[in-house]
Amino acid sequence: KNVSISIHYTMSISRQNLSIVIVTLKSQKVINECIKSISRDLPIIVVENSADSGFKNNLEKTFKNVKCILSGKNLGMGPANNIGIKLATTDYVYILNPDTTLESNTLDELFLASEKLGDFSILSPICSDKNFPNYGTSDKKITLTEKNPPFAVDYVDGFSMLLNKSKFKNENYFDENFFMYLENNDLCKKVTNEGGNIFIIPSSKINHSGGKT
């Protein structure tokens, strides 16, 4: 008797299938600290919204895991992020602002959470500054502590968005009609409208010097 066995593979994030994308514009004062907080074994794609070859050369010389793309002009956040996402050959892409830094266990906690969640479109650590929550949710029952398990939200702020690329059909990422500020909300709304899941991981922290975006 022939028995058909169906095996479900749940993908999770690891250092082997994750790239970092950082969009910059005259960010020389903050970008180095951001990159230093990221594991050197992760590929980083920096999309500089200018034609500043000096910035590119200095960054790539200082950090061997960084590839810097010059857009030639200020395209805005959404279009520049799309360039980086599409250049990334990994299954997952973590979008960061240059004025953020990760803590020593930020990524490890995201990896662990991804294993438990299985199905997700977007993940993010929680902002370490409690005065600037980096998410929005209509669920009033959440009492936030560091021991909270991952919880679903309506949106996360654009300075920290980890995307599961397989959930975005036809590479339909940021709407390039949005120059800045609303592109992340639009992306999250598109995800939730299509039944996708967006999660905050309270055990994972991100520091953001720019406050709420």
Side-chain angles (χ1 to χ4, degrees):
K1 184 178 179 180
N2 293 326
V3 179
S4 176
I5 300 175
S6 176
I7 301 176
H8 175 67
Y9 292 94
T10 300
M11 288 193 68
S12 59
I13 313 164
S14 71
R15 283 177 168 77
Q16 285 70 49
N17 61 10
L18 176 66
S19 298
I20 310 293
V21 170
I22 306 171
V23 172
T24 57
L25 176 63
K26 299 179 181 179
S27 304
Q28 290 92 335
K29 292 183 179 180
V30 293
I31 185 68
N32 282 16
E33 291 306 309
C34 176
I35 294 174
K36 286 177 184 177
S37 75
I38 300 168
S39 298
R40 294 297 179 97
D41 57 349
L42 287 173
I44 299 174
I45 300 170
V46 173
V47 182
E48 166 62 19
N49 264 328
S50 76
D52 188 346
S53 59
F55 175 81
K56 169 185 169 68
N57 294 338
N58 183 63
L59 207 58
E60 292 181 341
K61 182 179 179 180
T62 305
F63 302 102
K64 302 305 180 186
N65 58 326
V66 170
K67 179 178 182 180
C68 183
I69 308 300
L70 299 178
S71 68
K73 62 180 181 179
N74 190 359
L75 301 177
M77 294 298 292
N81 271 316
N82 283 345
I83 290 173
I85 296 168
K86 292 174 183 179
L87 282 174
T89 59
T90 51
D91 299 310
Y92 302 93
V93 173
Y94 189 8
I95 296 167
L96 290 173
N97 274 17
D99 59 352
T100 60
T101 56
L102 305 184
E103 298 190 356
S104 60
N105 67 338
T106 299
L107 290 175
D108 289 333
E109 290 296 329
L110 290 178
F111 299 160
L112 288 171
S114 72
E115 291 180 7
K116 296 175 182 178
L117 291 169
D119 182 40
F120 61 89
S121 298
I122 301 175
L123 300 182
S124 178
I126 198 164
C127 187
S128 58
D129 187 343
K130 295 180 181 179
N131 293 317
F132 295 106
N134 60 317
Y135 64 90
T137 177
S138 55
D139 187 352
K140 305 299 182 184
K141 298 178 182 179
I142 295 173
T143 303
L144 190 59
T145 70
E146 291 185 10
K147 296 182 179 179
N148 272 68
F151 60 92
V153 295
D154 298 323
Y155 69 86
V156 295
D157 280 345
F159 67 79
S160 171
M161 302 179 79
L162 198 158
L163 308 184
N164 179 352
K165 290 174 68 177
S166 69
K167 296 293 185 178
F168 296 86
K169 297 177 181 178
N170 301 316
E171 296 189 332
N172 187 18
Y173 303 114
F174 291 101
D175 186 335
E176 298 191 2
N177 291 310
F178 293 100
F179 182 79
M180 210 174 163
Y181 295 123
L182 295 176
E183 78 286 345
N184 55 295
N185 296 79
D186 176 76
L187 182 66
C188 291
K189 184 173 178 59
K190 181 167 59 180
V191 166
T192 55
N193 285 347
E194 294 177 356
N197 299 310
I198 304 171
F199 291 99
I200 283 285
I201 315 301
S203 59
S204 179
K205 302 290 194 305
I206 185 168
N207 307 308
H208 184 216
S209 62
K212 191 174 180 180
T213 59

